Amino acid sequence: MAASDFPHLEIFSIERGIARLEGGGDTSDAVRENKANRREHAERLGQRLERLTHSAVEIRKKRTAENLPDIPGGAPFVLHVDDPEEGILLFLSEKLGIEVIAEEEEGFILVATDDIEAARFHQIIAEFVDRKHGSGQAANVLDVVPENDSEQRLGRILTEDLQALWPLADNDNYVMDVSIKSPTADKFPTLRRQRKNETAADFEQRRAGWTASVQRLIVAVDEERIARETSIEQFVAAYNGEFLTGFIDAEKEHSQFAELSDSFSTRIRMSGAGFKDLILNFPYIFEAALPEEFNGPRPAAVAPGPDEASVHPPANDAPAVCIIDSGIQEQHLFLAAAIDSAQSRCFLPGLDPSDAADYVGDGGHGTRVAGAALYGAVEPGGDFAALFWIQNARILDKDNWLPINLFPPLALQRIVAHFRHGPRLTRIFNHSIASNRPCWTRRMSTWATEIDRLSNAEDVLFIQAIGNLFGEGFGALNNPSIADHIAAGRPYPEYLFQPSARLANPSQSLQALTVGSVALSHYNNGDLSSFAGAFEPSSFSRTGLGLWNSVKPDIVEFGGDFVRDPAERPALTTPPDVCPSLVRSTFNAPGPASARDTVGTSFSAPKVSHIAGRLAADFPDQPTLLYRALIAQSARWPEWAENRPAEQKPACLRHIGYGVPDVDRATQNDEFRITLITHGLHQIRAREAAIFAIPIPEELRRPGLDADIRVEVTLSYAAEPRRTRSSRRGYLAVWLDWIASHLDEGIDHFRNRALRTDAQLGEFNPIRWTLDRRTHWGEVRGVSRGGGTLQKDWALIKSYNLPDMLAVAVRGHPGWSFLNPDATANFALAVTLEAVGRDVPVYVSIQQAIEVGIPRVAVPIEV
């Protein structure tokens, strides 16, 4: 049978219901002590509030005396709470009248209040002493930090590099990315069902009133957001500052702000005096950061590749992959037939939108990336049939730099708006651009959050390079190059675990498919040798884990390696044998049409974009969440990683994520492997579970059959993000995980374990997953599969141990939208069973078992 005879099969949800969720915790010692010593706790908080009032009054007097610009919103300060969960956040807003600006690590919260006398806070403290109902949460407020210049506040607003510049010089100009909290409509009025004795007309009248109330709330919130944006504009103008977002639109009010549901961000150039005033006194600010810088890899000696090609264009209705980069040489011999030139656009401020060529010297950058996306693992040239279109979005300048006057979140908004809603409805975006520095870990960046927002809202997939360590020449004290590490006595691969080698912004994005790099083979000519062996992490490829211990990189592909000499401070080179074969621009410099002359994660990422393009061609009506799931599902650890001792495997995960993907495994099956996938976009609410099941026929489970079956499960999901939260549960509106049936567990018992029922649960033999849901359960200890929105796990099971029904339950958990019962997350699921020894034909037998019939009581919720 041909490979086309083994398509992916649909996996069905057999039941949905209220999820049985773990959770809840004991009261902390600190809270118990506060409740036991109420008067002492109240006096301590009261003293802090008196300091807050005194400080706020003095600041107002000073501002008036010095004629400083008006600032709305009262006094900013910091609260330290026991646990910033939903109960304490509601208590702060509803009982104390305090606006939560940003949730921080270790229970610290940036807050603001218009009531500088803190009258409501004092009242609650008094009620807490008297043990009045509704005041108990005061025990969870551990401390009040009233000073606006406290380390607890500034240390959470300023990024580490900016802290090194503090206090700023008043008369010097700075450029910063500033993030401001917006008001939010979290608690809508509830519409009760039609009452028993209520007429239809009365119910409709009540519904109309409810709708009007909701609309008034939404309008009020939007008006307050606009007011805050206006106040920032007026503040910057008062200090003669300017916005450097690159996309100010005279026809769109406040177009210089990148807006999320809870915040907005912008890039500002202003004096140090202005920034100090803004950071110290504007109550709604929660982050100030220096702009990120990107400069791509430098090519070395050219090793010419093929110079002839016959490229056949894709079908007119084929999908497209958009290359967000330095532009493309669109008339290139190896690319021209597949370029969608009609949609090409330059997004660089001040340049003609049609100026989308690749001006980067020494062979270009975007041109190389475009070639890697189009050809994938195939060497450019020869007779080639393109399966998808390449589109060109230029945001890097002729020096391969991200200009200071281009704000990446707004650039991505404009790019997605242009291509996603263009003629080809583009959904795949290659983003081989990442900062030259490691990402900050305190919260998700504006850049990464915009990727997450667009991915969820627009059904798009960003393929993101993890970023590079420089070989030499660009190192700094807090950002050393590879040569710096080696000279300091940190050998390969140990230096890749240094904080300075952490993944670069925005590759920490939960929704982006983040790609690292591996070498294809080891190079040694006697005097010079490469760092990495075959499929080992490239010497320049940055390392995870990501935020909240998410698996990053998600996957890796071939991006090359550096070669070193034996010196104590080695010279690093890139001979052709260690470089990928790439299309090379001849636009502004002579040279071959293709070459092996440079390395970088910039070129491993588009190889994955090639797989995504193939999936879009094969599954045009499926969501990009499924493409992401199938790419991860196809990935495997190389042999060197699989054979490492268990205690070394967490390091493997940080280097290579889920491994190296394979286009054949992603797109098709064979006699010995079957992949089942969800069709359409599925949704799930918080506290809900959806059960999926695969029947395993008896012939695969018979006692005499001793075959190794590899089971792989990948959940890919998306939900609306919020930057003002610093934990995964707060960052996403709804967050998901999955559980699977145990080896000897029947489907009825699994149903009771996944859903909230009254049934008693028994003990069964769990599957030995590689990662598992908790850090101490799986084979690889210290990490789990659940930190991100791409959750893969795999296990080897003896065929005779397989259950008669392999079941997976996807479960929703409340995130920041805990007050909205209708909040949802979108997801796709893939499950694969494969006979490792290729000795058991699993595909046909499982296919037939499914066709015989499996009970289905729910269908996907289409969006």
Side-chain angles (χ1 to χ4, degrees):
M1 300 175 74
S4 60
D5 294 327
F6 299 97
H8 297 334
L9 302 181
E10 184 172 3
I11 184 172
F12 294 95
S13 174
I14 64 168
E15 188 164 0
R16 281 179 179 254
I18 303 300
R20 182 192 292 268
L21 300 177
E22 308 89 352
D26 296 332
T27 302
S28 72
D29 292 340
V31 172
R32 281 195 293 267
E33 183 176 350
N34 290 340
K35 288 184 176 180
N37 302 279
R38 291 175 179 252
R39 189 167 300 279
E40 292 85 346
H41 180 55
E43 289 176 353
R44 184 168 60 251
L45 294 182
Q47 292 170 0
R48 301 289 199 276
L49 292 175
E50 291 294 339
R51 282 165 47 191
L52 171 65
T53 297
H54 176 76
S55 174
V57 169
E58 292 301 313
I59 288 172
R60 286 190 175 185
K61 290 180 181 178
K62 180 180 178 181
R63 297 190 68 80
T64 300
E66 297 179 2
N67 197 30
L68 294 174
D70 291 336
I71 289 182
F77 61 106
V78 175
L79 287 179
H80 187 200
V81 302
D82 179 64
D83 180 19
E85 45 80 38
E86 56 191 63
I88 187 65
L89 297 181
L90 282 175
F91 174 75
L92 295 177
S93 62
E94 295 186 352
K95 291 287 187 179
L96 304 184
I98 290 174
E99 181 171 354
V100 175
I101 305 304
E103 171 200 341
E104 300 289 336
E105 296 173 335
E106 301 174 340
F108 287 92
I109 305 178
L110 302 180
V111 295
T113 179
D114 284 318
D115 177 18
I116 64 172
E117 299 293 335
R120 293 174 66 179
F121 206 157
H122 281 291
Q123 179 184 349
I124 288 292
I125 291 173
E127 293 177 356
F128 174 71
V129 174
D130 294 338
R131 301 175 181 269
K132 289 188 175 180
H133 179 73
S135 65
Q137 283 281 9
N140 291 66
V141 180
L142 305 182
D143 199 4
V144 177
V145 185
E147 292 80 13
N148 63 352
D149 61 350
S150 67
E151 180 180 347
Q152 287 92 334
R153 182 170 181 270
L154 291 182
R156 286 167 174 81
I157 291 176
L158 307 178
T159 52
E160 294 172 24
D161 52 355
L162 194 49
Q163 289 180 43
L165 300 177
W166 191 268
L168 308 174
D170 285 351
N171 296 322
D172 288 352
N173 278 338
Y174 300 86
V175 176
M176 295 186 199
D177 294 341
V178 175
S179 297
I180 306 295
K181 166 72 165 56
S182 294
T184 56
D186 293 328
K187 192 172 183 179
F188 290 98
T190 301
L191 177 65
R192 303 294 182 186
R193 294 179 181 178
Q194 185 173 352
R195 303 183 184 103
K196 186 175 182 180
N197 297 322
E198 185 178 28
T199 66
D202 288 343
F203 175 69
E204 287 305 318
Q205 183 177 3
R206 187 160 57 85
R207 182 203 295 272
W210 172 83
T211 302
S213 298
V214 170
Q215 288 302 315
R216 284 194 297 271
L217 178 59
I218 292 173
V219 169
V221 166
D222 194 49
E223 288 176 346
E224 175 59 22
R225 174 187 55 79
I226 293 173
R228 292 186 187 183
E229 292 176 346
T230 301
S231 67
I232 285 290
E233 292 171 336
Q234 294 170 344
F235 186 97
V236 171
Y239 279 100
N240 297 314
E242 62 177 323
F243 294 94
L244 296 177
T245 54
F247 297 102
I248 297 178
D249 187 346
E251 298 181 359
K252 182 181 179 184
E253 191 176 25
H254 308 296
S255 62
Q256 64 268 44
F257 299 113
E259 296 174 347
L260 299 168
S261 66
D262 68 329
S263 60
F264 59 90
S265 302
T266 189
R267 178 166 292 177
I268 301 169
R269 176 184 283 136
M270 190 165 59
S271 68
F275 275 120
K276 280 198 291 188
D277 190 6
L278 181 70
I279 291 166
L280 289 173
N281 297 309
F282 198 85
Y284 307 124
I285 187 171
F286 65 89
E287 184 179 80
L290 296 178
E292 302 284 2
E293 295 180 347
F294 167 82
N295 184 251
R298 303 287 182 177
V302 174
D307 58 5
E308 293 183 359
S310 176
V311 180
H312 305 281
N316 187 55
D317 61 350
V321 174
C322 178
I323 307 298
I324 305 173
D325 216 278
S326 65
I328 300 172
Q329 183 185 359
E330 297 187 2
Q331 298 306 312
H332 196 288
L333 172 66
F334 292 171
L335 302 175
I339 299 291
D340 180 20
S341 295
Q343 294 302 306
S344 300
R345 186 165 180 179
C346 174
F347 293 86
L348 288 168
L351 295 185
D352 190 305
S354 65
D355 191 6
D358 186 358
Y359 295 92
V360 175
D362 297 321
H365 187 265
T367 302
R368 286 183 166 97
V369 171
L374 182 62
Y375 288 93
V378 177
E379 184 174 18
D383 191 67
F384 180 79
L387 296 178
F388 49 83
W389 294 95
I390 295 292
Q391 293 179 319
N392 180 8
R394 183 187 176 205
I395 66 169
L396 300 180
D397 65 18
K398 62 182 180 60
D399 297 315
N400 215 26
W401 281 93
L402 196 62
I404 194 70
N405 61 343
L406 185 145
F407 191 39
L410 281 178
L412 293 183
Q413 281 186 25
R414 298 298 179 97
I415 289 168
V416 171
H418 177 73
F419 292 98
R420 178 70 177 96
H421 302 287
R424 299 201 184 280
L425 306 175
T426 307
R427 296 189 295 157
I428 299 169
F429 294 84
N430 187 93
H431 198 245
S432 287
I433 302 171
S435 171
N436 292 340
R437 304 191 303 262
C439 72
W440 310 121
T441 58
R442 191 168 60 238
R443 71 175 66 254
M444 195 66 74
S445 71
T446 56
W447 196 356
T449 304
E450 187 60 34
I451 290 175
D452 290 344
R453 186 193 72 82
L454 290 167
S455 299
N456 178 62
E458 299 285 356
D459 183 23
V460 294
L461 175 61
F462 284 87
I463 313 294
Q464 172 66 51
I466 199 170
N468 303 316
L469 289 178
F470 290 112
E472 181 61 292
F474 290 90
L477 182 62
N478 62 346
N479 194 26
S481 67
I482 295 172
D484 293 331
H485 282 296
I486 301 298
R490 295 185 287 270
Y492 168 88
E494 281 77 8
Y495 67 77
L496 292 175
F497 296 115
Q498 293 291 311
S500 60
R502 185 172 59 244
L503 71 168
N505 189 22
S507 63
Q508 74 273 30
S509 157
L510 291 188
Q511 294 305 135
L513 190 60
T514 298
V515 185
S517 175
V518 292
L520 198 58
S521 60
H522 185 64
Y523 173 87
N524 191 321
N525 71 356
D527 297 321
L528 304 174
S529 63
S530 59
F531 289 84
F535 296 102
E536 292 181 347
S538 303
S539 53
F540 53 78
S541 186
R542 290 181 174 272
T543 304
L545 299 170
L547 267 65
W548 310 308
N549 291 324
S550 57
V551 174
K552 294 288 177 179
D554 296 294
I555 51 178
V556 288
E557 251 291 359
F558 172 47
D561 196 19
F562 280 119
V563 166
R564 59 162 295 177
D565 63 22
E568 184 175 334
R569 184 181 185 85
L572 305 183
T573 56
T574 52
D577 288 348
V578 299
C579 299
S581 179
L582 301 169
V583 173
R584 186 178 182 279
S585 173
T586 59
F587 179 72
N588 59 1
S594 67
R596 297 177 180 269
D597 60 353
T598 190
V599 299
T601 59
S602 288
F603 313 121
S604 58
K607 292 180 181 294
V608 176
S609 295
H610 176 85
I611 301 176
R614 292 276 297 271
L615 286 166
D618 288 351
F619 304 100
D621 299 324
Q622 297 301 327
T624 58
L625 286 173
L626 180 63
Y627 305 162
R628 188 172 67 140
L630 287 173
I631 292 171
Q633 187 82 330
S634 78
R636 296 282 175 86
W637 276 9
E639 187 175 348
W640 67 266
E642 287 284 7
N643 293 336
R644 288 285 173 88
E647 63 271 15
Q648 295 182 18
K649 288 186 175 180
C652 299
L653 192 77
R654 292 179 63 185
H655 278 309
I656 63 173
Y658 297 125
V660 182
D662 180 88
V663 67
D664 290 334
R665 282 198 298 265
T667 56
Q668 59 194 27
N669 303 278
D670 59 31
E671 185 179 359
F672 305 103
R673 181 181 65 250
I674 185 169
T675 299
L676 299 104
I677 59 175
T678 52
H679 282 191
L681 194 62
H682 288 239
Q683 286 188 332
I684 195 167
R685 295 178 177 86
R687 302 184 179 90
E688 185 181 25
I691 299 176
F692 298 82
I694 303 169
I696 309 297
E698 186 176 357
E699 63 195 81
L700 295 181
R701 299 181 285 108
R702 66 180 187 272
L705 188 63
D706 185 19
D708 289 323
I709 305 297
R710 180 183 173 105
V711 177
E712 297 170 300
V713 179
T714 299
L715 170 68
S716 172
Y717 78 91
E720 185 180 351
R722 280 194 170 177
R723 283 202 69 232
T724 54
R725 300 301 188 92
S726 62
S727 64
R728 181 196 54 170
R729 75 177 181 188
Y731 179 68
L732 297 171
V734 177
W735 61 274
L736 307 185
D737 68 358
W738 61 267
I739 60 174
S741 55
H742 297 323
L743 293 177
D744 48 355
E745 182 180 31
I747 188 63
D748 290 336
H749 185 276
F750 178 73
R751 174 187 174 277
N752 292 328
R753 185 160 61 88
L755 303 179
R756 186 190 299 171
T757 68
D758 296 330
Q760 296 295 313
L761 301 182
E763 295 292 329
F764 293 90
N765 184 23
I767 294 174
R768 177 72 167 173
W769 295 104
T770 302
L771 303 178
D772 220 313
R773 290 191 298 120
R774 297 188 179 176
T775 57
H776 59 284
W777 283 3
E779 177 191 357
V780 179
R781 299 301 174 96
V783 293
S784 70
R785 65 180 179 238
T789 62
L790 184 64
Q791 301 177 6
K792 178 181 177 177
D793 217 336
W794 61 102
L796 284 182
I797 304 174
K798 288 295 184 181
S799 55
Y800 54 76
N801 278 334
L802 287 169
D804 61 353
M805 189 79 75
L806 178 63
V808 175
V810 177
R811 309 187 302 177
H813 301 257
W816 62 255
S817 68
F818 60 89
L819 292 173
N820 180 6
D822 294 324
T824 60
N826 302 320
F827 73 91
L829 182 70
V831 180
T832 297
L833 291 89
E834 180 174 2
V836 176
R838 300 186 67 78
D839 48 355
V840 178
V842 300
Y843 189 99
V844 172
S845 58
I846 292 179
Q847 181 186 37
Q848 291 174 346
I850 293 172
E851 291 173 351
V852 166
I854 181 171
R856 307 167 195 163
V857 298
V859 296
I861 302 174
E862 300 292 344
V863 178

